[in-house]
Every structure is written in C-alpha cells, then in structure tokens.
Amino acid sequence: MKVARYIGNGEVAIVDEAIPSCPEGGLLVRTEACGLCSGELMSWYMDRKVPHVLGHEVSGVVIESQDERFPVGSRVFPHHHAPCLQCELCRQGLYVHCPHWKRTKLAPGGMADFFAVDAENLTDTLRTDDLRPVDAALIEPLACVVKSIRRGTGFQPMGITTVPGVDKVAPSTQAADELVVRQGANLPHWTRPGATYSVTFRLADAVPRHVREEWRLERERLAAMADRLTERELWNRKHLHAERVQSYLNEGHGSSILRDHRAAGLVQEGLKHFDGERYRLYAWCVMPNHVHAIVEPLPGYELAEILHSWKSFTARQVNKLLGRTGDVWQSESYDHLIRDAEDYQHALDYVLYNPAKAGLLNYQFVGETVHRWRGGAGRGEHARDGRDTHGLEARATAAVIGLGVMGLMHCLLLPGSVGYDLSPGRIEWATRQGIDARLPDDAEPADVIFVCPGSQAAFDFAMRIANPGATIVMFAPLGPGEALAVPQEAYFRDITIRHSYSCGPEDTREAAEAIRDGKLKAEQVVSEFIGMDELPRAYGRMKRGEILKPMIVWDDSAK
C-alpha cells in the first residue's frame, strides 16, 4: 500500500509499505479521506519525529473488525490518541494528559491506503455512516476547536469530567436514605427519597433498531466487566455510554415530530402542569426528538409515576393534535440521580445549553423555574422560558485571530464573532463563508479572544483588543525556546489567559454533532481535494501559505 511519510526538512515522500494486520480487539480500516493538519507543517515539531507517517484527520471504512460496535462495512472516525477513562486525570476531564492517551496512535498513520485502530483507541472512535468521509475527517480538528471554545467561554457541559458521589458518603445536600435500585425494561434506575434527578426520554422512533442493539451489547459488556473493575472505573464507562446516547439524540434522528412548535408547546406545558404540587421542576428542554428535565419528586410521589404521567398525557395530546396514532414515546427513560451541587450544576448547564449546542437559537421550549435547589446551585430567582443561549453562541463579542483553517472553524462555531487576519486572500475566503472577517486595523474590543497562530505578535494584538476581564485562549504553541511575554497590564485588567491543547472524547462527540447539524462542511475549510501522489507538492504549498488546506481523497464518492 502507499503511505505519505515525512522525511525531514519540510519534505514528504510517498512510499510503499505492507498493509497492517487487524490488531486484537481492534479494526482494520480502508482510508477514504485524510486532511493535512497545520501542525504537521511545523518543522521544529515534525523533524524530531522522522520518519513519520502523516495524517490523523482521517475517516474510512472498516474492512476487518474484532469489535461488534464497528462491523465490517461501517464508516468510522478514529481519534489517533485515546484516553483510558479510568485514571485520575481522565476523571478530572484532563484526557490529553492521560499516559494512555499519549501512547496510543494509528498504525501506521492516516495518510495511508489502510490503517489499523488498536482496541485502546476505540474509547474515542465514532461511527460516521451518516457523514460524508470528507466531513468525518474533520471531526478531530473541529473537536480541538470545541475544546478551545469551551475553555474560552467557561462552559463545561455535562460529562465524565467528575465522578459525583464516588468518594462521598451521604452528601449533605441530599437525603441520606437508602439507595434503591429498580431494574427497568433495559436499564437500572437508582432512586432515593428526597432526591433530584436529571431525566431524558425520547420519541419512539428516535433511535433505529441497529443503534439500540449496539447500546444493548455495550450494556452487556459493562455488566460483564462489573467484577473486574473498580466502582470508579465502572462508573466512568457507564457514564460515557450515557453520554454517547445523549449525543446521538441531539442528532435529531427519526420523525422528530416535536419540531412542530405546537407539539413541543404541549409537551412543555405537560412538564410544568403539576410543578409545585407533585414535584419541583427545576429545568426542562423539549428537543425535536427527546426531552430533558431536572425534577425532584415531592413526598408521596415516585419518579416512575411522574414520568409515566408526563408521557401518557403528552402522547394523547400530541397524537390528537397531529392526527396520528401509535406510540409517541419509547417506554424506557434515562435518569441520573444528582449527588451534589457540582453534579446539579453540570446537569443544569447541560439541559439549558442543549438547544444552542444543537443549533437551535432563541429557542422557546427550554427554561428553568423559580425553585431554588436545596444544594444551593441555580441561576436566579425568576423563571425563564426561551433560554438565552450561552456557551458557544453566548459571546457576542468574541474575536478570532488568524483565519487559517482552525480560525475559520472557530468563527463558524461562534456566530457573531469577528475574525482577523493580515492576508487579504484569507479574509476574502472567510467572508465567502459568511464570517465577519477584517484586517487588524479595523479591530474592536472583545470579551473572549482565540489566538490561533503560535506567535507573540498575535498575542500582543489580543491584549490590545481585550476588554477588562476578558479571556484570551492560546490555541497553538510558540516555537521551541520561545516564552510568551505577558505584560503587567494583564494583571491590572483582570485578563485571563488560557491554553487549549488537542481534544478528548467529549469534544469529538460534540464536533461530530456539529457537523451533522451542518455547522461545518469540508468545502468551507478545504481548498484542494487531491490524490496521494499530489501530497508532496501540496505540502510545500500549504507550508508557504499558497493554499489553505489540502485533503487526500481515495475515491470521488468520499465527497
């Protein structure tokens, strides 16, 4: 097979190598698309890796599999680094610092006719059957941007960054009564008197049979692991499974009958109907094919009864409204027992932010009530419906410095942001993508600034346009031996400086979702789709700034 190997001094050679074998428990993949990363142009970084097969922005088709989740013929995106999800660093959400993450890789690399995905990498490998290969190949760079934006805006979505309750006994903010585990049709449900829950229930057709079967097999594997893993390890894996489910729901599969605002309004009113009488409803979100809510049953009422009441009443009303018959909701629901104030805040952020993350701006079927949660977390004294978006879309004064590929991606995920570059050609390209792109001379102050080039000059410009209290995110490193010079004024103006390196599993899932939502298409950031033999020349042209980004495609059908 052909591979693209970096041989040093800014040069790439196309060479022949043997096709790798399928690793035990892993995958062998036929490559369909692979992008050239701007990081692969940094000679000081690449020369120390010689000889090195290029390519980690990759997608392909499985041709041999030893994992049921990724059958032969399925399309996949594998992250070239994957965390263990078990160590203390992973527990804190610091995936890129996990020793396991650092040692994992694709063999021999993405810019090859075929590559192997080790079983260890499958903790951050996604099915992408519904995406064009050229779009799926952009999941990794877009995930790096998702993480950068999260670090810049301060939004931390509900995820596996903490393990609530694992090291705690009877948290003071919840009743310390005995925990009851009730087995549902497919899932166990944990309940406790006086507890608060984050719940999700979905439309009957929101998840196709083959996906439900994948989830069932994964639950069975988790059950089989129970006696071999610690409580923390098992919790991590179960929570990651739940996050995969949530990510899939946000993709909007099935009929999505709740896109009809009349139907969504009926469901929203149904959730609020017995608020304060049978339960305290803290927050809710009615998405096109599923519902999120944070609810505390009042004495005398059980969570299962409340969920049944919500689903049966709204099913009748929605069917009557739309003139349809049959099941509206799937029988099983997902519920998470909230353990402490931090867990509550994560759940609240997740529910209220869900529409914005799915691209539903100024959405009217999301909100929170006047109730103050006993744990002390919450957002205010007044109920709000039609939640204003926060996180990615919330910062109207976001700036992006550098309109290369990564800068473009930042702008595309930050509607209303302003992008700056010195190159008229890049400004013209960005403008064609609907971005407010300008020369630095036309700058205005900003609250959060993403610095994409690894240069002191770019940082200095960020300092000049930073509002008091602003956050500056350094997306790329300076060269070896260079130290970032931070002026004293950063202290007196309360400027926060953050760095953002690579990405983890939560970020790749969010990136895949953003692509499915149409927030990024390959043509917006890829200037040339080329064959493998054209890469050596394209590498030099990208390094010299003559082209924006090349992507190798192995077949025109990849586009």
Side-chain angles (χ1 to χ4, degrees):
M1 68 172 183
K2 299 287 188 183
V3 305
R5 194 173 279 283
Y6 180 79
I7 58 176
N9 299 316
E11 295 185 8
V12 175
I14 308 301
V15 299
D16 290 308
E17 287 194 5
I19 296 175
S21 58
C22 182
E24 183 178 357
L27 313 173
L28 182 61
V29 179
R30 174 173 58 81
T31 315
E32 291 189 289
C34 188
L36 179 61
C37 172
S38 55
E40 293 174 313
L41 304 177
M42 299 187 298
S43 296
W44 64 266
Y45 178 70
M46 294 300 297
D47 284 347
R48 66 191 186 191
K49 293 187 171 189
V50 173
H52 173 74
V53 175
L54 296 172
H56 53 263
E57 301 176 0
V58 67
S59 66
V61 176
V62 176
I63 62 170
E64 188 175 345
S65 173
Q66 295 188 24
D67 189 300
E68 295 171 320
R69 294 172 296 173
F70 307 98
V72 171
S74 60
R75 279 179 161 154
V76 295
F77 152 78
H79 197 297
H80 57 302
H81 295 309
C84 70
L85 303 181
Q86 300 172 21
C87 68
E88 182 66 20
L89 290 166
C90 284
R91 192 182 74 83
Q92 297 176 46
L94 301 173
Y95 306 111
V96 303
H97 306 290
C98 167
H100 183 282
W101 187 93
K102 294 176 181 294
R103 72 169 181 261
T104 51
K105 61 181 180 180
L106 304 178
M111 286 192 178
D113 293 337
F114 303 90
F115 62 88
V117 184
D118 194 87
E120 292 184 320
N121 283 78
L122 298 183
T123 60
D124 199 2
T125 295
L126 305 178
R127 288 279 296 272
T128 57
D129 306 273
D130 56 335
L131 296 178
R132 296 187 307 165
V134 292
D135 294 330
L138 295 174
I139 290 175
E140 188 274 341
L142 189 63
C144 295
V145 172
V146 167
K147 176 182 173 181
S148 170
I149 291 173
R150 177 185 292 112
R151 289 183 62 76
T153 62
F155 171 71
Q156 185 65 33
M158 190 176 181
I160 57 173
T161 57
T162 61
V163 187
V166 168
D167 297 319
K168 302 179 179 68
V169 178
S172 59
T173 55
Q174 289 291 340
D177 303 81
E178 181 181 357
L179 186 69
V180 177
V181 181
R182 176 181 62 83
Q183 181 62 45
N186 298 298
L187 299 168
H189 301 273
W190 292 17
T191 60
R192 174 185 284 137
T196 302
Y197 306 87
S198 173
V199 300
T200 300
F201 51 98
R202 59 181 185 252
L203 294 179
D205 64 350
V207 182
R209 180 175 299 175
H210 77 275
V211 176
R212 293 201 302 271
E213 179 64 13
E214 289 176 17
W215 292 352
R216 183 188 67 79
L217 291 171
E218 186 165 356
R219 288 194 298 270
E220 289 180 356
R221 281 192 292 271
L222 287 172
M225 292 178 183
D227 60 347
R228 303 195 304 270
L229 299 177
T230 66
E231 181 183 3
R232 176 177 295 171
E233 291 168 346
L234 187 61
W235 195 97
N236 271 335
R237 296 193 182 203
K238 286 183 176 179
H239 208 60
L240 182 58
H241 169 69
E243 283 294 297
R244 290 195 189 104
V245 172
Q246 299 288 13
S247 179
Y248 186 91
L249 290 176
N250 283 343
E251 295 163 14
H253 296 280
S255 60
S256 294
I257 57 176
L258 301 181
R259 289 190 188 278
D260 187 317
H261 283 195
R262 298 172 301 162
L266 284 175
V267 174
Q268 179 170 259
E269 291 308 307
L271 296 175
K272 297 191 289 183
H273 186 71
F274 288 111
D275 178 33
E277 182 177 340
R278 299 181 181 180
Y279 48 80
R280 292 189 182 94
L281 179 67
Y282 292 103
W284 71 90
C285 173
V286 181
M287 296 293 284
N289 71 350
H290 65 284
V291 173
H292 296 296
I294 300 176
V295 61
E296 176 190 341
L298 293 176
Y301 296 95
E302 299 290 336
L303 178 64
E305 297 171 348
I306 293 166
L307 289 170
H308 176 75
S309 174
W310 281 348
K311 292 161 78 172
S312 61
F313 174 76
T314 57
R316 291 193 300 270
Q317 295 299 311
V318 169
N319 274 343
K320 181 179 178 180
L321 171 71
L322 301 181
R324 65 190 297 277
T325 59
D327 293 335
V328 172
W329 305 107
Q330 191 168 70
S331 59
E332 192 78 286
S333 302
Y334 290 85
D335 52 74
H336 169 69
L337 189 153
I338 292 175
R339 308 301 182 96
D340 53 25
E342 182 182 21
D343 198 17
Y344 176 83
Q345 194 65 56
H346 285 164
L348 185 65
D349 281 340
Y350 189 88
V351 171
L352 297 178
Y353 179 70
N354 203 237
K357 193 170 67 169
L360 302 173
L361 304 183
N362 299 315
Y363 197 58
Q364 58 184 302
F365 305 111
V366 58
E368 61 184 308
T369 62
V370 295
H371 303 304
R372 298 288 294 179
W373 189 64
R374 287 175 299 142
R379 297 197 181 280
E381 297 295 337
H382 303 287
R384 287 192 302 228
D385 295 345
R387 174 74 181 173
D388 56 329
T389 60
H390 59 108
L392 300 188
E393 284 82 9
R395 289 281 196 170
T397 57
V400 178
I401 298 174
L403 291 173
V405 172
M406 307 311 288
L408 290 170
M409 288 185 179
H410 275 84
C411 289
L412 290 169
L413 287 191
L414 285 165
S417 62
V418 179
Y420 298 98
D421 204 286
L422 295 170
S423 166
R426 286 188 172 186
I427 290 174
E428 180 183 357
W429 179 286
T431 301
R432 291 202 302 268
Q433 314 312 317
I435 294 168
D436 183 354
R438 311 177 186 178
L439 290 167
D441 292 343
D442 193 21
E444 59 185 43
D447 296 310
V448 58
I449 304 138
F450 301 90
V451 181
C452 295
S455 77
Q456 182 68 47
F459 172 78
D460 292 343
F461 175 58
M463 282 295 303
R464 289 200 298 273
I465 66 173
N467 277 326
T471 296
I472 297 174
V473 179
M474 297 298 292
F475 186 75
L478 274 64
E482 296 183 54
L484 185 67
V486 179
Q488 190 180 46
E489 66 174 306
Y491 172 83
F492 290 106
R493 294 172 58 206
D494 286 325
I495 304 297
T496 298
I497 301 168
R498 295 180 178 271
H499 296 81
S500 187
Y501 167 53
S502 195
C503 58
E506 294 172 2
D507 309 309
T508 54
R509 290 195 301 276
E510 287 194 35
E513 180 184 333
I515 291 172
R516 289 187 174 99
D517 288 341
K519 294 180 180 178
L520 175 69
K521 294 187 180 298
E523 289 80 4
Q524 292 177 290
V525 294
V526 177
S527 56
E528 296 190 4
F529 297 97
I530 63 174
M532 175 85 80
D533 291 338
E534 300 172 85
L535 180 65
R537 180 171 179 270
Y539 184 94
R541 294 185 66 204
M542 183 178 176
K543 190 175 179 69
R544 293 189 296 271
E546 297 171 5
I547 59 174
L548 185 64
K549 182 184 185 74
M551 178 178 286
I552 298 177
V553 292
W554 274 254
D555 189 287
D556 285 342
S557 63
K559 297 185 288 184

